[in-house]
Structures are given as C-alpha cells and as structure tokens.
Amino acid sequence: MSIAENIQAIRARMDAAARAAGRDPGEIQLCAATKMNDAARVREAVLGGVDCCGENRVQELSEKQPLGAYEGRPVHFIGHLQTNKVNKVVGKVDLIQSVDRLELLECVSKAALRLGVRQDILLEINIGQEPQKGGFTEDEARTLAARMGDYPGVFLRGLMAIPPISEKEGDNCKYFAKMRQLFIDIAAKKYDNVDMVCLSMGMSDDFEDAIAEGSTMVRVGTAIFGARHYQ
Ligand SMILES: *Cc1c(COP(=O)(O)O)cnc(C)c1O
C-alpha cells in the first residue's frame, strides 16, 4: 500500500471511531509522525491528506523544512527538545507539542520574545507517571496552566501525552480518560494565555481508543509510513 492509501485507510478508521463515540469526525486531526522519513516521503504524506506533520528531532526538521517537505501544512515539534536547540525550533514550527519541563517552558518563552513571536505550545503530561519519561504530572499541569500569564512568549493550546506501552488492546483507555478530564478542567478555568483546543493523544496502535476518549489529534507514524528501521 502507498502512503496515500495508508492515510485513506487511517482516515476511514478515525471517522468510524469518531462516529462510534458520537463525535464529529471533522474535529479530529491526523498528524503524521515523520521521524526517519525523508522529505520526499513526508511530501507524499502531505499530498496524501494529513492535517499536519510532527518532527521528533531538530536535525530532521532543519533538513526537511528548507526542502519544502511540509509546505501547505503546519509542522509541529513532538520530540524531546534540548534547551540548547530551542532557537532552531521556536518560530519555525506552528506548535511545540512536547513542552515537558519548566526549564524548557521558560526557555521557549524567552526565545519567542527575542524573536517577537508568540509560540503555540502544548504541555506534555507524563500520564502513566513513568520515572524514565519526561512530562508534567497532572497537578503540575493544573498549577502551571493557571500561571501561563507569566510566560508571555508562549500560548498554551492544549495537552499531549504518550501513555505507557500497552500490553493489550484497551489498556491505555484509562490514561486517555484521565487526559480528557485534565483537558476539560483546565479549559473550564479560562486562564490568561490559555486556549485549550488541542488534546494530542493516540498513535498507530491505539488511536481509535484515544478518539473514543476525546482526542482531537492523533499522531501516527508506522501506520502511515510502515515500520521504522533503527540502526
Ligand atoms: C513516533 C511517534 C509517534 C508515532 O508512533 P507510531 O507508533 O509509529 O504511530 C507519535 N508521537 C510521538 C511523540 C512519536 O515520537
């Protein structure tokens, strides 16, 4: 199957999952997780109809962007971001989904102010409370959302999570449900510098469950591009 055919098949599954949950399929976006795929393949995904692209590594972003890989679609940063590489990302992407620690939040806000831009971000939540993973706890996110006015270089657009690797289908529903509740709670507060529009959760193996639990953006790599071959 071609990349475009894979995208069509995923869309059909997304739409079915949305309808089964009584949701409007139009409110759920498909983000192509493009890591380890070159500019030509990313281009195929854009032309194949994904809503946006998500890059994990700064180097890949810096290589593919000048080649026009994402043209016509927003590009997001979705990977671990080192503070010394923030200048290569801020102002160059439409959304940084993976703001996973206070130091990074401060650094992104300052970089955006220097550039005279407002950087849209999501807070990444360590929803499975896994010690080896980055991300805020739910309590930290609630506290931080109330203080977003202290970070005038950024605008908080929502939340992102990568739940634990599941053993069996449906295992992650409880984490997705927690994310939805956190998302709804923060949205209800109407804080300064916050507009909760994006709940980014669900990947190749579990995007239907994520949609059932309220995801507004799924990030799909393998199901679009095939297996990645790490060396
Ligand atoms: C790679 C990646 C994905 C997509 O994972 P697949 O299982 O290949 O669909 C989603 N989100 C992030 C942050 C990723 O790094």
Side-chain angles (χ1 to χ4, degrees):
M1 293 243 289
S2 70
I3 286 172
E5 286 168 333
N6 288 339
I7 290 168
Q8 270 189 13
I10 293 162
R11 283 278 188 206
R13 288 170 57 193
M14 288 172 64
D15 290 3
R19 285 201 197 87
R23 301 183 59 197
D24 172 6
E27 70 186 36
I28 303 149
Q29 297 208 314
L30 174 58
C31 176
T34 49
K35 59 179 173 280
M36 300 184 69
N37 285 281
D38 64 17
R41 290 170 63 77
V42 173
R43 199 74 207 129
E44 270 187 70
V46 167
L47 298 175
V50 298
D51 295 300
C52 58
C53 296
E55 286 291 356
N56 277 75
R57 298 187 179 91
V58 174
Q59 193 183 332
E60 287 194 48
L61 173 72
S62 305
E63 283 169 10
K64 292 175 226 178
Q65 198 162 37
L67 298 173
Y70 321 114
E71 233 163 76
R73 287 287 180 276
V75 59
H76 297 176
F77 196 80
I78 64 173
H80 180 72
L81 182 53
Q82 293 168 261
T83 50
N84 64 355
K85 293 190 177 156
V86 154
N87 287 328
K88 295 186 165 145
V89 177
V90 170
K92 296 193 164 64
V93 298
D94 298 278
L95 180 70
I96 302 176
Q97 294 199 15
S98 45
V99 174
D100 60 357
R101 59 201 191 280
L102 203 52
E103 182 197 20
L104 180 62
L105 177 64
E106 285 164 355
C107 194
V108 167
S109 180
K110 280 182 189 157
L113 289 175
R114 274 196 302 272
L115 279 178
V117 299
R118 179 72 72 89
Q119 178 67 61
D120 283 342
I121 63 159
L122 305 182
L123 296 180
E124 181 173 345
I125 310 301
N126 186 352
I127 197 65
Q129 296 179 299
E130 296 170 278
Q132 78 281 11
K133 252 188 209 167
F136 297 99
T137 67
E138 294 161 80
D139 280 348
E140 286 169 343
R142 287 176 208 275
T143 308
L144 199 51
R147 292 182 28 222
M148 285 308 293
D150 296 348
Y151 305 95
V154 301
F155 203 97
L156 180 61
R157 296 288 181 190
L159 305 174
M160 182 269 241
I162 309 170
I165 293 171
S166 58
E167 310 266 298
K168 56 181 193 311
E169 230 182 281
D171 268 1
N172 280 338
C173 289
K174 59 179 182 292
Y175 298 116
F176 293 143
K178 279 185 175 199
M179 285 296 296
R180 176 177 55 182
Q181 194 57 53
L182 181 62
F183 182 79
I184 290 171
D185 290 348
I186 293 174
K189 303 280 190 186
K190 311 218 180 301
Y191 293 127
D192 284 351
N193 237 12
V194 178
D195 181 22
M196 300 294 276
V197 292
C198 184
L199 178 55
S200 173
M201 59 186 194
M203 315 201 296
S204 291
D205 287 338
D206 57 15
F207 66 82
E208 285 145 318
D209 287 342
I211 288 169
E213 299 292 344
S215 171
T216 71
M217 179 175 288
V218 297
R219 306 177 311 271
V220 178
T222 309
I224 293 178
F225 297 108
R228 292 177 290 272
H229 298 290
Y230 293 94
Q231 313 208 321

